[in-house]
Structure formats: C-alpha cells, structure tokens
Amino acid sequence: MYQDLPVTNGAATLDAAIERLGARLPDPLAPLARIAFNYRWAWTPGGAEAFAALGPQRWRRAMHNPVRMLVETPPAELDQAAADSELVERINQLDATITDDLRRPASGLAGEGPIAFLCAEFGIHRSLPIYSGGLGVLAGDILKEASDLALPMVGVGLLYRRGYFHQRLDRSGWQHEYWVEVDPELLPMTRVQTDGSPLRVTVPIWGREVAFAVWRIEVGRVPLFLLDADLPENTEIDRWITSRLYDGNRDVRLAQYAALGAGGVRVLRALGIEPTTVHLNEGHAALAALELTAPEVAEGAPPEQAQKRVRDRVVFTTHTPVAAGNETYEPDRIVNVLGGLAPAWGLDAQDLLALGRVVPEDTHAEAGMTPIALRLSRSVNGVSERHGEVARDMWAGLYRTEPSDVPISHITNGVHLPTWMRGPMRELLDGHLGAGWPERAHDPDTWQPVADIPARDLWAARCESRRQLIAWVQRRIGTDRLARGEDLEYVNRAIEALDPDALTLGFARRVAAYKRLHLLRYDPERVLKLLDDPHPVQLLFAGKAHPADDGAKGILQSMFELKGAPLVAERVAFIEDYGLASGAMLVMGADVWVNVPRPPLEASGTSGMKSALNGGLNLSVLDGWWAEAYDGDNGWAISGEENPDHAAQDAAHAHELYRLLEDEVLPLFHHRDEDGVPVAWVDRVRAALMSVGPRFCASRMMRDYAGDVYGS
C-alpha cells in the first residue's frame, strides 16, 4: 500500500527514525516510538492517555506532541513509567489495536485508487499547526475517515514553518498576533527520499526555479505529504512561501497556490503515485489540474485535448458561498508569479488568465483559482444542500446557463466522530450502542438504542461534560486574564463565578462580519437581564479575526464593551487563541451551540455538528447544514430567509435569538422532575443525537464521496 513508500528523517528511513526514538526508551515502552509516528493514536481510545501517563504536565508543555514528549522526558521518569505493569499493558494493547487497523486491506469503496486529496491546510491535531479553521479541520477529518474506511487516499499540502497566527487580546479586547516557528525534527513526520537521497521538486515561481523538500506524516493508513521551501538553495523570499498559512502578501499567496497545485502533482509524480482521482478541496489547489496536463502536452497533445482528458480525473469541492470570497488577482501579478508555469501546460499568459476569469473574453478582468478548478473538474460540489443552490446561482455566468442547469451538486459536510465525540457522552454511548458502533455511525439503526437510554443517564453525562468544560475554562481564563494585566481580585471573582450547573452557551468560530458575533450583545439590556436571571446563563466564546481584518477585530473588541457592567465578568468568558484543543472542549461541554451567520453565507458549518454529537443543542440560523438538520425537535431555529436590508435583518434575528433564550431555552433547561432531571430537555438531546449522528458524521460524508464522486 502507499503507506509503504520509502521516507526518511534526514538520512534515516521511517523505520530507522522509530528505531532511533525507541532506543532511548526502556524496552517495555518501546512500542510508544512506533505509536508516536502515526497520528492514529489521536483518535484511538486511550491513545492520548498513554502518553499523558508519562507526565501530565510535560504532556501539556509538549502541546500533546508525542515525539517531543518522548525526547524530552528524562530517563529516570521513563524508567519509572516502564515499571508500571498496568501502563505497559495499556501501551501494548494500544500498539496492537493500531497495528491491526493499519494491516486491513483496502475497502474498495472508491475503486482501486489512489485518491489524491489536495488542500491548503490540514487540521490533523493540535501538535501539527498547519490549519487555521473549518476548511483545515474538515480536511483533517476527511483523511481520518478515509483511513477508517480503508480508502486508498494520499493527502498533499504545505508545511508552514510558522503555521497560522496565535492570538492574544489586550485589556481593551483588541487582538494582537504572534507566530511560533515549529521544528519538524520534533514532530511526528519524516523526510521523503527517493533513490537514497532526500526528495526535491522544483516549481517555476517568480521566473525562477524554487526547490521544495517533502515531508510525510502518517494519518492512520493515509500518508500526508507536505512541501517545504525552507531550503538553503532558495532565496529568503522563496523560503517564505511555506512560512505562514494564508500569508498577508498576495504574491506569496499565489506562490503558495503554485507550490500546492503544481508542486503537489510533481511530488506525486516523483513518488510514482498515479492517482485515479485528484480531489481539489477549495480553489487554492486548482493549478494541480493544469499540471496534470504537462506529460501529454510534452508529448505533443494540444492543450485543449490534454485538459479534456485531465477533467475526467479531477473533482472539486467549493467552500465559499460568495464570489468575493474566491480571491482574484490582477493580470500582471498572476503573470509575474505564475507565468513560468504556463509553457509546460502548452499555454501562454493570456491563455492562463482566460482560464481564471469568469468571462474569458474580458481581458481587463482579474483572474483567480476557482474558475480554473470549475472548468477542469468532472465533478463539482458544494458542502451543504443550500450551498449547492447558492453555488449554482453564483457561477451561472461562468457556465453561461441558467442556475438550474449549472453542474454543481452538493455533499453535506460531516465530522469525524472518534475525534469529536469525547468524554462522558462517548463513554455512555459505548455502553449502549454495541461494540464497534462508530464504524456503523452512518446507519440510523445504530442510533436507535439512544431512545432507550434513561433520561437520568443522558442528563448525568451532559452535566459531567459541562463540569469538565467549566473546570478547563477556569484554568484557561485565569492565565489569559492575568497575562492581560487584569486585577487579581477581578480575575479570581470571574473564575469563582463560573457555575458548572448553569446553562452554558457556546459560540466559537472564525470572527468575520457575516458570522455576526455582535448579535450576542445587540441589545445590552436584554443581555444583562439574561445574565442576572434567577437562573442565569453563562456565555463562553472564542474566535480569531484575520490579521488584516480590522473590521473583524473591531467586532471582537466590541464584545468587551460590556465588561464593566454588573455580572458580565462573571458570566461571560472569552477563550483566547481558538484552535483544535479549545474547540474540542467547547463543543463537548456547551449546552447550547449558538450560530447566527447572515444567510446564505454559511456554506456548511461543522462546529454545531460536533456539539450535537456530544449532546449539545443547536440554536442556529437556518443556513448551511442546519437548514437540513433542524426538524423542530432537535434544537431551535432562526429564519434563514435573505434580506438585503442587513440592519433590519440583524434587528429581527437578534430579537428572535433573545426571545428563544428567554421563552424557550431557559424554561426548558430548568423545568425538572422530582429527580432534578429536565426530561423535556433530555428528549431534545435524544432527538439531536439520533438525527444528527448518522446524517452528519464523516462516515456518511466519505461514503457519499466514494459512491457519488470518486467512483463516478
């Protein structure tokens, strides 16, 4: 299988890298070296706990990076762990479980493959910071589920040495950014080699050849290859190409797209991997479709003929529901950055620009990656039913037809259940849904036993999840607020006021104007009344604004304007530096997940799916996935109708949000039976699990891709 391709870490193969790490471990702990180099441990029950058992504090300081953890743990502590027979047995069982999983034959669900999945970011794990938000987290879930389903897939992306930015707020609530460089030698990755030497591919960018090294990461059965421009033969500017994810410089972003698309295909070619399907996840990777034409063009095939043949191998998922979100560039900029690639595809500069324009004949228009992907893909899909409709309307001009005839379908996103269903709810369902039930999560029958789980047990699981979340938030906000220079007494009061039994609202996502975070404080009087109710609510929220988006930073800062009002400090907590780890905790413990995007701008959204898997209830605008999921019994809904008068729409949606909280959510949460169980609330939790679980898990999503896209 493709996971057997030779790889190196410097001069060593993967096996040698494992052997080298294992050599510093006592013999009883040696399996941990093998486990550490495959992220399969991250979604195997007991995986994280095995590493944490070596030292919880050190595990946290290592950012849950198992390679760094094993390298930095002193020998005396390793010897102590090796003497724990119970821990050693757990490690051996973990090793056996992962080994058995990797040895399974390919499933054949998507044909013989392989499928090459190209994406600008991958949210595999918090220790691998090459993601920014929902697109990357979805890509990570896709690779994990492909591994679980034994699909023959390989991933291709970029190794961002500084990743995405970290966030810190000052006392006024204004966001500041900083970047931290990672050391690949301390991550679970190895350098790829061919013929005994480190692999290099080159891509013409800015009129010169830029070299890229290649790293490989094991994501279960799926290898993920990452291109890295940080090489001594490159200029400092060239090395910056893979420095920051979504760099603010437009020329650098174009260079990244060249590296991902053209460079990614060159890596696969160098490794002898001939994909039957190339899946472009968002337009950033569009140049891969053109690079696939190069061999035929080199043999004399006309470019149009080569493009037609390539189209049969390429599929494209679009994630952006507004044309402006599909970035375009001035013609001169594209020619300057990418012009050197065109000859290999049989194109001149004008041909390349025409492919990237909605209207090819409009020679003054800017060009972008998305039109290239649309034109050179046999299959195009949005990520929810409504997004499919929006995309057909948005791109009708490119296809020169009516929206109803635009060949864009939809496959609604799903989330990787073993990654996102955590703690008490997972433990409860493991005891009721039968052995191996996550493998059957896409089948509604799998979830039927939820109907028979006693209400007190479901409620107990929800309460324990909330308590764990609040304890975690108390630790986080203490350090965050002290770092902002806030008064110690004020910080202590805020920590102590958070109530593990109070109705807890969660709101966590990228901060952008259309996400409408400001609706949560739209009517300060009603907000303060909710916070000061005899049965108060508490709000936990998190999110990052793009470093160049001062408007979004202002929206975030506006949330702090009520800080001086009574009870706000005690009832509202912002979690800084939103990422995979904080997101996982919030969706695990929040009682109600709030999402109020401006319709129809939410392509899908997946955080609400994760919350529902943990027994949370969604209160959301009927947009994206929630327009498909809401059935009247599994949460609450706000109208998803469009309104060009945004001010009026904001007022109406804010009013409906507060009304639902005041008249329905709060009373239902606090209406308890003689045992203290809110039975009607638990009935909604039951309905959410049974309706969201099978339809919005990654197993269903990837089976749809395998049957409707990859195999078509």
Side-chain angles (χ1 to χ4, degrees), residues 45 417 421 423-438:
L417 187 148
M421 181 182 278
M425 190 57 66
R426 175 67 188 268
E427 293 168 10
L428 177 67
L429 296 191
D430 282 349
H432 287 269
L433 302 191
W437 72 270

Side-chain angles (χ1 to χ4, degrees), residues 470 474 477 488-500 538 569-571:
I470 296 304
Q474 288 171 325
I477 67 171
L488 180 60
E489 181 180 351
Y490 178 85
V491 173
N492 281 331
R493 190 168 76 248
I495 292 173
E496 293 169 359
L498 286 172
D499 186 349
Q538 54 195 10
E570 291 86 353
R571 304 292 188 204

Side-chain angles (χ1 to χ4, degrees), residues 68-113:
R68 179 181 167 189
M69 173 77 174
L70 295 178
V71 167
E72 294 181 349
T73 301
E77 293 182 21
L78 293 173
D79 289 337
Q80 183 178 3
D84 184 340
S85 59
E86 181 181 342
L87 174 59
V88 170
E89 176 59 24
R90 285 164 49 200
I91 291 170
N92 287 331
Q93 289 179 358
L94 177 65
D95 184 41
T97 297
I98 293 174
T99 300
D100 288 346
D101 179 71
L102 300 182
R103 287 175 175 168
R104 290 178 298 136
S107 65
L109 282 173
E112 301 211 355

Side-chain angles (χ1 to χ4, degrees), residues 26-338:
D27 286 345
L29 301 184
L32 284 177
R34 183 165 52 249
I35 295 167
F37 272 96
N38 192 317
Y39 274 107
R40 183 65 175 83
W41 67 264
W43 72 92
T44 301
E49 291 77 5
F51 289 105
L54 302 181
Q57 293 288 350
R58 193 178 304 281
W59 180 235
R60 284 196 287 270
R61 287 197 298 271
M63 298 296 291
H64 292 200
N65 174 355
V67 171
R68 179 181 167 189
M69 173 77 174
L70 295 178
V71 167
E72 294 181 349
T73 301
E77 293 182 21
L78 293 173
D79 289 337
Q80 183 178 3
D84 184 340
S85 59
E86 181 181 342
L87 174 59
V88 170
E89 176 59 24
R90 285 164 49 200
I91 291 170
N92 287 331
Q93 289 179 358
L94 177 65
D95 184 41
T97 297
I98 293 174
T99 300
D100 288 346
D101 179 71
L102 300 182
R103 287 175 175 168
R104 290 178 298 136
S107 65
L109 282 173
E112 301 211 355
I115 303 143
F117 183 85
L118 280 69
C119 190
E121 52 173 304
F122 286 89
I124 305 295
H125 187 260
R126 62 181 294 188
S127 63
L128 185 65
I130 57 170
Y131 62 91
S132 69
L135 178 69
V137 175
L138 175 73
D141 281 5
I142 283 174
L143 296 197
K144 293 174 188 177
E145 192 62 44
S147 176
D148 289 349
L149 294 178
L151 297 178
M153 179 177 281
V154 299
V156 181
L158 303 180
L159 174 60
Y160 305 99
R161 295 284 186 134
R162 292 172 177 82
Y164 201 53
F165 74 90
H166 293 276
Q167 176 195 58
R168 178 66 66 185
L169 302 189
D170 61 26
R171 296 187 68 175
S172 75
W174 187 258
Q175 173 183 292
H176 299 269
E177 304 87 27
Y178 65 96
W179 284 260
V180 177
E181 189 163 1
V182 299
D183 182 358
E185 299 293 339
L186 286 177
L187 285 168
M189 60 173 60
T190 48
R191 286 283 291 274
V192 177
Q193 72 170 15
T194 56
D195 301 325
S197 300
L199 175 62
R200 294 283 197 280
V201 298
T202 62
V203 181
I205 301 172
W206 293 312
R208 57 183 178 267
E209 292 292 327
V210 178
F212 294 88
V214 184
W215 297 82
R216 173 172 165 159
I217 296 168
E218 311 298 320
V219 186
R221 300 164 54 89
V222 176
L224 170 60
F225 298 102
L226 301 176
L227 287 83
D228 177 16
D230 192 9
L231 294 172
E233 58 261 47
N234 289 332
T235 69
E236 288 299 319
I237 291 175
D238 296 342
R239 294 169 77 166
W240 190 261
I241 291 172
T242 57
S243 179
R244 293 180 180 178
L245 175 59
Y246 302 137
D247 191 87
N249 185 289
R250 287 165 61 79
D251 292 295
V252 172
R253 286 203 300 281
L254 273 175
Q256 291 177 340
Y257 304 157
L260 174 62
V265 171
R266 294 183 182 196
V267 167
L268 296 175
R269 196 177 289 145
L271 293 172
I273 298 175
E274 187 68 25
T276 57
T277 300
V278 175
H279 186 166
L280 312 177
N281 195 44
E282 192 56 296
H284 312 118
L287 296 180
L290 285 170
E291 181 62 25
L292 288 169
T293 70
E296 289 194 37
V297 170
E299 293 178 1
E304 296 81 3
Q305 179 181 314
Q307 291 171 19
K308 183 177 180 180
R309 290 178 180 171
V310 160
R311 191 179 291 112
D312 292 336
R313 300 170 56 196
V314 178
V315 301
F316 173 44
T317 298
T318 176
H319 293 261
T320 309
V322 289
N326 293 272
E327 203 169 35
T328 59
Y329 298 85
E330 310 93 307
D332 288 347
R333 190 186 300 273
I334 289 181
V335 172
N336 180 55
V337 180
L338 305 179

Side-chain angles (χ1 to χ4, degrees), residues 516 518-519 522 598 643-653:
R516 297 195 299 176
H518 67 280
L519 293 194
Y522 188 88
R598 188 180 307 287
N643 186 343
D645 186 341
H646 289 177
Q649 186 182 52
D650 286 353
H653 284 186

Side-chain angles (χ1 to χ4, degrees), residues 380-655:
V380 181
N381 68 276
V383 289
S384 70
E385 183 176 10
R386 186 169 191 186
H387 179 226
E389 297 171 357
V390 170
R392 287 190 289 275
D393 185 67
M394 185 169 67
W395 295 110
L398 183 144
Y399 289 97
R400 303 190 181 191
T401 187
E402 293 299 314
S404 59
D405 294 325
V406 170
I408 297 179
S409 63
H410 79 276
I411 290 181
T412 302
N413 286 340
V415 297
H416 186 242
L417 187 148
T419 294
W420 296 105
M421 181 182 278
R422 301 163 64 91
M425 190 57 66
R426 175 67 188 268
E427 293 168 10
L428 177 67
L429 296 191
D430 282 349
H432 287 269
L433 302 191
W437 72 270
E439 299 169 13
R440 299 176 278 105
H442 63 285
D443 184 352
D445 289 344
T446 299
W447 299 82
Q448 286 306 308
V450 171
D452 299 320
I453 299 176
R456 64 179 180 277
D457 294 345
L458 274 169
W459 180 240
R462 281 298 313 140
C463 289
E464 179 57 28
S465 296
R466 189 188 322 106
R467 291 186 189 107
Q468 290 182 20
L469 169 62
I470 296 304
W472 176 84
V473 171
Q474 288 171 325
R475 292 192 298 270
R476 278 291 303 268
I477 67 171
T479 55
D480 288 349
R481 291 184 173 189
L482 288 175
R484 289 201 295 266
E486 294 184 3
D487 179 74
L488 180 60
E489 181 180 351
Y490 178 85
V491 173
N492 281 331
R493 190 168 76 248
I495 292 173
E496 293 169 359
L498 286 172
D499 186 349
D501 296 317
L503 173 65
T504 301
L505 311 181
F507 183 104
R509 53 191 48 84
R510 179 169 55 90
V511 179
Y514 83 90
K515 300 284 188 179
R516 297 195 299 176
L517 173 63
H518 67 280
L519 293 194
L520 299 182
R521 59 169 298 280
Y522 188 88
D523 186 334
E525 184 177 337
R526 293 179 80 173
V527 171
L528 294 175
K529 183 179 178 182
L530 283 166
L531 298 179
D532 196 25
D533 190 90
H535 296 298
V537 302
Q538 54 195 10
L539 170 65
L540 309 178
F541 73 107
K544 291 179 175 179
H546 189 279
D549 190 347
D550 283 352
K553 291 182 183 180
I555 292 171
L556 182 57
Q557 186 181 43
S558 73
M559 294 295 294
F560 287 74
E561 292 176 3
L562 292 175
K563 190 171 70 171
L567 296 176
V568 170
E570 291 86 353
R571 304 292 188 204
V572 179
F574 178 76
I575 314 302
E576 291 188 9
D577 207 26
Y578 179 47
L580 282 176
S582 54
M585 289 301 300
L586 288 165
V587 297
M588 180 193 74
D591 296 296
V592 177
W593 199 254
V594 180
N595 189 26
V596 286
R598 188 180 307 287
L601 304 184
E602 182 79 294
S604 176
T606 56
S607 59
M609 302 174 191
K610 298 161 189 170
S611 177
L613 286 179
N614 288 280
L617 298 178
N618 279 267
L619 195 173
S620 178
V621 169
L622 287 170
D623 197 13
W625 82 284
W626 191 235
E628 297 171 51
Y630 177 65
D631 63 11
D633 297 319
N634 58 0
W636 294 271
I638 296 171
S639 170
E641 292 185 6
E642 299 180 47
N643 186 343
D645 186 341
H646 289 177
Q649 186 182 52
D650 286 353
H653 284 186
H655 171 78

